[in-house]
Amino acid sequence: MGKPRHRQQLVLTLLFGLWFPCCLTQTTPPSRTNLGPTPSSSPQTERLKVRLAGYPRKHNEGRIELFYKGEWGTICDDDFSTANANVLCRQMGFVSATGWTHSAKYGKGQGKIWLDNVLCNGGEKSIEFCKSRGWGNSDCTHDEDAGVVCKDERIPGFVDSNVIDVSDRNVEEVRLRPVVVTAKKKLPITEGVVEVKHKDGWAQICDLGWTIKNTRVVCGMLGFPHERKVNKNFYKLYLERQKNFFLIHSVGCTGTEVHLAACPMEFSKPNATWPCTGGMPAVVNCMPGPLFTQNSSLKKKIKCLKQLKGGARMGEGRVEVLKDSEWGTVCDDRWNLQSASVVCRELGFGSAKEALTGARMGQGMGPIHMNEVKCLGNEKSVWSCPFKNITAEDCKHVEDAAVRCNTPYMGLENSIRIVGGRSSYEGRVEVQVGSKWGTVCSTGWTTKEAMVVCRQLGLGYSMHAITETWYWDSSNVTEMVMSGVKCTGNEMALSQCQHHKTVNCQRAAAKFAAGVICSETASDLVLNASLVQQTVYIEDRPLHMLYCAAEENCLSKSAAKANWPYGHRRLLRFSSEIHNIGRADFKPKAGRHSWVWHACHGHYHSMDIFTHYDLLNANGTKVAEGHKASFCLEDTDCQEGVSKRYECANFGDQGITVGCWDLYRHDIDCQWIDITDVKPGNYILQVVINPNNEVAESDFTNNAMKCNCKYDGHRIWLHNCHIGKKHKTQNYQL
Ligand SMILES: *[C@@H]1O[C@H](CO)[C@@H](O)[C@H](O)[C@H]1NC(C)=O
Ligand SMILES: *[C@@H]1O[C@H](CO)[C@@H](O)[C@H](O)[C@H]1NC(C)=O
Ligand SMILES: *[C@@H]1O[C@H](CO)[C@@H](O)[C@H](O)[C@H]1NC(C)=O
Ligand SMILES: *[C@@H]1O[C@H](CO)[C@@H](O)[C@H](O)[C@H]1NC(C)=O
Ligand SMILES: *[C@@H]1O[C@H](CO)[C@@H](O)[C@H](O)[C@H]1NC(C)=O
Ligand SMILES: *[C@@H]1O[C@H](CO)[C@@H](O)[C@H](O)[C@H]1NC(C)=O
């Protein structure tokens, strides 16, 4: 059956995952031909690429490889030093090195040994400026390949695949100074005088020759996808009377740059101002993306963006694109800032801050739709860029591309705080309402609300929604100022959620103020849809084999009226394979003390409701409910290189490790839907994992799986099994 061709869409799943990155390619700073009379210009060099290779490694450690004269090669460990490692780490965008390794600790490289007896002072901009025996001159073997361990902290402004060495230039940061001071400052600031930060302070840009392309670059840096025209006359009168300090002039961006520093421009002499005769300070006006606009007609567009999955940080995550109504990832070959920027702008953010390779934001599941994406940077959609289709062995999910986009400053973190907890990631929630800070009523406080708080604070995901906070430091509990909070989960701030107009809480502020425990990482469960499709069948199971199942409520209600032990139940059976593709292990919320022993099946149930199995008719009415299954969670198997941690047997720890899956085979008890009472027809089979969002996940939108189901009274067929939104279900009809 042909799949419907849907309009191709793009989504950024704000998911995290630290897997085994495959390669990290860096280049030296672009040559500086276009820069004006700035001090400290370094010699022009051919771009030297540096990467980390070998095994086992992380994104910040590995064997050093250099790309020189069209060939990758290694460095010999003779005379290697921390100073050398520092130069290499900085060259790859890390703040410094924490160590280095010798004797091919990450495995032996291949090809040339490019450098030997390298002696850096530590301050060099690139390894090629350090003393050595010269390119390709070495008496070493690959047994002596050197490696580095870099501090896992990025140089500010550093971008992953193209280097913009901001430290070397006079443009470090850009901001907008609004000229029109309205009574109430609205964020984000979208219009104003462009100010650039340099080492001695902030300065203006002379707007002679300024183009809308320059504006586009500035807007992109500030988190805005588009630029608008400015009414210059409006500013002219005002700005002419001001004393301006023009540091930069003659800016000539092409519009595809992700940082102003990458545009050609000229600088005034140190500590001198450029005359800018006949000009004025550059002023820009940016158009915010739908997420950041107050315009209600634009807000409607957010609906389609709501598929944007809530992430630890806004505007960052693995790139996923929709093709033939199926979500898939993008392979990181040739993934760069220009392509990443197209993705970012398409999603309503600014240009890209980083183009991440090697599944730095976790591995996706399912198809990989694009490879070797090569955008120029001005395309409206990533689908307009040249790319290659994937053939089977081209790419794996360890190469999933991700982005970190520039987002506008919203000041969201200023109207909320958490207090009393044991660490900066947990505490009682306090919000500012008017000028007053106070607590939030914990009635109805769930993971969804807690997720919004953690996101607003920039602390990632919520591990737990706390409804009793008395055991935290309660010496200074403030008054309750908010109650009845109900979020959809996608809001950027708690104030955007529904809440009571006047505080109405049955619970005491001191004991029952709402609290959160936030975490940078979370699990993410996804069902293997194709396995369900492949394994489905019908079984007429004799009642005498179903005593245990009846005891665990795995049969529909009419089973109670059956003539036990005679007769049978008709069961729709299939296998469920639940993968954890997140960045933290999935663990039941309840501690072991509250797990329930199920003698019949001989294991503990750690979650009351782990999955829902339902059969729905076309209008969403349930015609058969599998049951609210509670299971014993464990790692059935894991992908290569990951070891199992959880096991049900012997009261073992329960959970699903990142990179592992829990398989419920079609032939185990209760792994079915009782369809004894279902008439022949067309239906939807729906499986929802973690349906009450009881355990935190980085993405709840991929927790439902649906299949079209055809039942002729004897046999059953499933097709188009896919991960998708949970079907709106109506009342139970049996
Ligand atoms: C520029 O001025 C700052 C302080 O005003 C001073 O510290 C710095 O040395 C000056 N630079 C030059 C090159 O004169
Ligand atoms: C809101 O956006 C729409 C569509 O872009 C535009 O036509 C309208 O003028 C905007 N309204 C305001 C108040 O900015
Ligand atoms: C990719 O495959 C589709 C059909 O699946 C085809 O229409 C398209 O032209 C191909 N694109 C490239 C770049 O090969
Ligand atoms: C509680 O408030 C008092 C007075 O405002 C302050 O001195 C004290 O440090 C606060 N205690 C805590 C634990 O924050
Ligand atoms: C899903 O199940 C199918 C069928 O067993 C298997 O081929 C495929 O590798 C599984 N997918 C994942 C992501 O493990
Ligand atoms: C849904 O469909 C069933 C039959 O398939 C019908 O009996 C029921 O009334 C429908 N419900 C609604 C709300 O349309």
Side-chain angles (χ1 to χ4, degrees):
M1 127 127 198
K3 288 178 193 166
R5 280 197 92 81
H6 281 223
R7 199 168 63 84
Q8 287 170 337
Q9 282 183 37
L10 172 102
V11 96
L12 170 70
T13 58
L14 304 180
L15 302 176
F16 274 70
L18 195 62
W19 294 71
F20 304 101
C22 125
C23 72
L24 179 76
T25 309
Q26 297 304 340
T27 59
T28 52
S31 60
R32 302 166 32 98
T33 45
N34 290 320
L35 282 185
T38 46
S40 79
S41 68
S42 48
Q44 281 197 19
T45 55
E46 183 196 354
R47 284 188 180 192
L48 175 72
K49 288 185 195 153
V50 184
R51 72 177 178 191
L52 295 170
Y55 192 86
R57 70 174 194 284
K58 300 196 191 125
H59 68 278
N60 60 329
E61 61 174 274
R63 181 176 66 239
I64 281 291
E65 295 196 352
L66 306 175
F67 190 73
Y68 182 73
K69 295 240 166 105
E71 203 180 324
W72 286 102
T74 61
I75 302 183
C76 179
D77 62 12
D78 288 350
D79 290 340
F80 210 82
S81 67
T82 304
N84 296 359
N86 269 321
V87 170
L88 287 161
C89 285
R90 286 189 59 81
Q91 198 167 352
M92 288 184 287
F94 297 97
V95 290
S96 61
T98 59
W100 58 275
T101 65
H102 56 83
S103 312
K105 161 149 190 236
Y106 299 98
K108 291 192 271 187
Q110 288 181 335
K112 288 252 171 24
I113 295 167
W114 273 129
L115 294 175
D116 189 8
N117 300 104
V118 179
L119 279 172
C120 304
N121 293 321
E124 292 88 349
K125 284 245 172 290
S126 167
I127 194 78
E128 68 209 284
F129 303 131
C130 301
K131 285 202 192 97
S132 75
R133 291 166 65 133
W135 288 100
N137 184 1
S138 164
D139 55 5
C140 298
T141 66
H142 280 298
D143 287 321
E144 296 157 85
D145 283 345
V148 294
V149 182
C150 302
K151 191 166 177 213
D152 190 7
E153 193 184 324
R154 289 273 159 189
I155 295 171
F158 180 84
V159 281
D160 210 6
S161 21
N162 309 26
V163 174
I164 289 171
D165 188 353
V166 289
S167 60
D168 194 35
R169 294 165 185 247
N170 277 311
V171 181
E172 290 172 16
E173 234 182 276
V174 170
R175 71 178 179 195
L176 293 187
R177 188 165 50 78
V179 168
V180 199
V181 182
T182 49
K184 223 173 153 191
K185 230 204 299 184
K186 267 201 190 136
L187 290 173
I189 296 167
T190 56
E191 180 171 349
V193 175
V194 182
E195 298 196 327
V196 292
K197 193 173 175 206
H198 57 105
K199 61 182 195 314
D200 300 320
W202 293 87
Q204 282 94 10
I205 302 176
C206 172
D207 78 338
L208 292 174
W210 184 265
T211 69
I212 195 90
K213 289 177 177 163
N214 299 342
T215 300
R216 179 178 162 86
V217 173
V218 170
C219 289
M221 284 180 76
L222 295 170
F224 304 110
H226 306 293
E227 60 286 347
R228 291 187 283 218
K229 280 230 159 64
V230 174
N231 181 355
K232 258 178 82 167
N233 293 334
F234 173 80
Y235 285 94
K236 205 169 172 76
L237 282 170
Y238 177 83
L239 290 173
E240 272 172 357
R241 274 181 273 134
Q242 287 210 324
K243 185 151 171 42
N244 296 305
F245 179 76
F246 296 107
L247 176 77
I248 293 170
H249 62 97
S250 309
V251 180
C253 306
T254 64
T256 59
E257 297 87 349
V258 296
H259 199 290
L260 203 59
C263 300
M265 61 182 77
E266 299 200 8
F267 288 85
S268 62
K269 292 209 182 71
N271 284 5
T273 181
W274 179 259
C276 198
T277 316
M280 66 177 224
V283 177
V284 300
N285 184 358
C286 305
M287 189 149 94
L291 281 168
F292 309 100
T293 179
Q294 258 108 38
N295 186 333
S296 55
S297 76
L298 278 176
K299 275 251 158 84
K300 291 219 176 88
K301 283 196 189 163
I302 300 176
K303 280 238 159 115
C304 59
L305 281 175
K306 274 221 175 108
Q307 285 191 47
L308 263 186
K309 294 150 189 181
R313 304 270 181 290
M314 203 196 325
E316 62 182 47
R318 180 174 70 239
V319 179
E320 293 199 351
V321 294
L322 190 61
K323 185 183 173 193
D324 301 340
S325 74
E326 196 172 8
W327 292 102
T329 60
V330 174
C331 188
D332 66 8
D333 291 355
R334 309 189 74 140
W335 187 242
N336 67 12
L337 282 168
Q338 271 62 41
S339 301
S341 287
V342 170
V343 170
C344 286
R345 288 183 192 262
E346 195 176 357
L347 290 165
F349 304 109
S351 48
K353 208 161 20 181
E354 292 187 56
L356 301 160
T357 56
R360 286 272 300 281
M361 298 278 183
Q363 300 182 20
M365 243 178 91
I368 301 169
H369 283 325
M370 302 173 105
N371 191 17
E372 298 198 19
V373 179
K374 284 180 282 185
C375 305
L376 297 172
N378 51 13
E379 294 88 349
K380 283 228 157 49
S381 162
V382 73
W383 290 107
S384 318
C385 306
F387 68 92
K388 281 194 182 154
N389 284 339
I390 299 289
T391 57
E393 58 287 340
D394 270 352
C395 262
K396 297 218 177 76
H397 282 298
V398 290
E399 295 162 76
D400 282 346
V403 296
R404 204 164 263 155
C405 305
N406 288 313
T407 57
Y409 176 72
M410 300 293 287
L412 295 172
E413 65 281 14
N414 301 331
S415 55
I416 194 161
R417 64 190 183 201
I418 48 176
V419 295
R422 295 158 299 181
S423 76
S424 57
Y425 277 80
E426 66 171 44
R428 208 162 37 242
V429 177
E430 290 195 351
V431 293
Q432 195 177 16
V433 175
S435 57
K436 200 152 128 199
W437 284 91
T439 59
V440 177
C441 179
S442 67
T443 307
W445 188 251
T446 71
T447 309
K448 277 186 177 168
E449 287 73 34
M451 281 283 182
V452 174
V453 169
C454 292
R455 186 176 315 137
Q456 186 176 358
L457 286 162
L459 296 179
Y461 307 99
S462 164
M463 285 294 100
H464 295 293
I466 310 288
T467 52
E468 294 185 28
T469 44
W470 49 267
Y471 49 86
W472 283 334
D473 179 4
S474 298
S475 47
N476 281 348
V477 177
T478 50
E479 208 181 309
M480 206 165 261
V481 294
M482 197 182 265
S483 66
V485 183
K486 262 276 130 310
C487 306
T488 66
N490 295 321
E491 294 88 349
M492 284 191 284
L494 208 59
S495 58
Q496 294 166 358
C497 301
Q498 282 182 21
H499 51 82
H500 292 153
K501 283 221 165 66
T502 51
V503 179
N504 176 8
C505 189
Q506 309 296 325
R507 316 177 93 179
K511 284 190 172 176
F512 297 107
V516 292
I517 298 177
C518 303
S519 167
E520 291 274 328
T521 59
S523 67
D524 185 19
L525 299 188
V526 185
L527 187 71
N528 182 341
S530 54
L531 186 65
V532 172
Q533 189 161 327
Q534 281 173 26
T535 55
V536 72
Y537 63 97
I538 281 179
E539 183 192 357
D540 288 331
R541 196 165 174 82
L543 279 175
H544 69 82
M545 294 171 79
L546 289 171
Y547 280 105
C548 211
E551 196 181 308
E552 294 212 14
N553 284 323
C554 300
L555 301 174
S556 62
K557 289 195 186 80
S558 67
K561 292 179 233 141
N563 181 24
W564 291 77
Y566 308 106
H568 65 266
R569 301 299 293 178
R570 176 156 287 192
L571 306 174
L572 167 60
R573 312 203 67 162
F574 54 89
S575 297
S576 296
E577 187 180 85
I578 297 162
H579 292 246
N580 182 357
I581 61 166
R583 207 178 144 196
D585 294 355
F586 184 94
K587 286 197 271 202
K589 196 172 161 191
R592 324 164 58 99
H593 59 278
S594 59
W595 295 355
V596 180
W597 174 252
H598 285 242
C600 220
H601 287 149
H603 57 228
Y604 283 89
H605 284 188
S606 56
M607 272 178 90
D608 255 1
I609 301 173
F610 178 56
T611 49
H612 278 180
Y613 294 162
D614 293 302
L615 200 64
L616 317 169
N617 69 16
N619 63 17
T621 311
K622 281 183 193 176
V623 294
E625 180 176 35
H627 41 96
K628 300 177 169 53
S630 52
F631 280 118
C632 163
L633 303 173
E634 67 178 359
D635 295 325
T636 308
D637 210 346
C638 303
Q639 69 183 78
E640 217 181 312
V642 182
S643 24
K644 296 193 216 177
R645 297 249 291 273
Y646 302 101
E647 190 172 42
C648 291
N650 305 319
F651 198 29
D653 245 357
Q654 294 197 18
I656 308 174
T657 306
V658 178
C660 299
W661 54 89
D662 192 0
L663 172 67
Y664 300 98
R665 275 177 54 118
H666 55 82
D667 54 0
I668 67 169
D669 222 23
C670 288
Q671 176 59 30
W672 63 58
I673 298 179
D674 179 352
I675 57 164
T676 309
D677 308 312
V678 174
K679 296 183 187 70
N682 293 325
Y683 300 99
I684 296 164
L685 167 68
Q686 174 171 280
V687 177
V688 185
I689 314 166
N690 190 18
N692 299 342
N693 301 350
E694 196 184 307
V695 176
E697 292 185 50
S698 54
D699 182 2
F700 288 116
T701 67
N702 58 8
N703 283 25
M705 194 271 334
K706 286 184 292 190
C707 306
N708 296 342
C709 176
K710 182 180 161 70
Y711 175 47
D712 70 357
H714 309 285
R715 284 169 300 171
I716 206 148
W717 294 267
L718 293 186
H719 58 94
N720 191 24
C721 289
H722 63 283
I723 303 300
K725 276 222 180 80
K726 193 167 151 185
H727 211 290
K728 269 227 173 75
T729 50
Q730 321 226 333
N731 288 335
Y732 206 166
Q733 266 199 354
L734 272 181

